[in-house]
Amino acid sequence: MRVIAKKILREFWEKHYDSEEPLKTWYKEASKTTWENPSDIKSEYSKASILKNSRVVFNICGNKYRLIVEINYKRQWVFIRYIGTHNDYDNIDANKI
């Protein structure tokens, strides 16, 4: 998968230092995999939440942070739509962000 854009993750971990290694690990794994459908994601990340509009929510740092991505399975692209604290996540609509 091609993850767009790592810069968003980097800017986040510069503010939230404990998220750096988990986000780097997620980025590395996502960049090397091929997800054809949501069940492929669930087989690797059982706690990921599959949403509408090709959105997936990943729990980072034991659910302290939430990462929302939009996936284009055909083109093998992962667009980072949101990264934030669990509390901030509760104030957004993950299906529309």
Side-chain angles (χ1 to χ4, degrees), residues 6 9 17-18 27-28 39 42 46 50 76 82 95:
K6 186 176 183 179
L9 299 179
Y17 300 111
D18 60 334
Y27 180 86
K28 187 177 184 179
S39 63
K42 289 297 276 186
S46 62
I50 308 299
Q76 292 291 290
Y82 172 86
N95 289 303

Side-chain angles (χ1 to χ4, degrees), residues 46-81:
S46 62
K47 294 187 179 184
S49 299
I50 308 299
L51 306 177
K52 298 185 290 184
N53 301 323
S54 301
R55 303 284 201 283
V56 180
V57 180
F58 293 94
N59 299 321
I60 306 295
C61 287
N63 207 20
K64 183 175 180 181
Y65 306 112
R66 294 278 180 99
L67 171 64
I68 302 172
V69 300
E70 180 180 356
I71 299 177
N72 183 317
Y73 296 100
K74 183 177 180 180
R75 295 184 184 255
Q76 292 291 290
W77 291 343
V78 177
F79 297 95
I80 297 171
R81 306 296 294 177

Side-chain angles (χ1 to χ4, degrees), residues 34-46:
T34 300
W35 291 321
E36 299 291 333
N37 55 55
S39 63
D40 289 346
I41 296 169
K42 289 297 276 186
S43 69
E44 289 181 50
Y45 295 93
S46 62

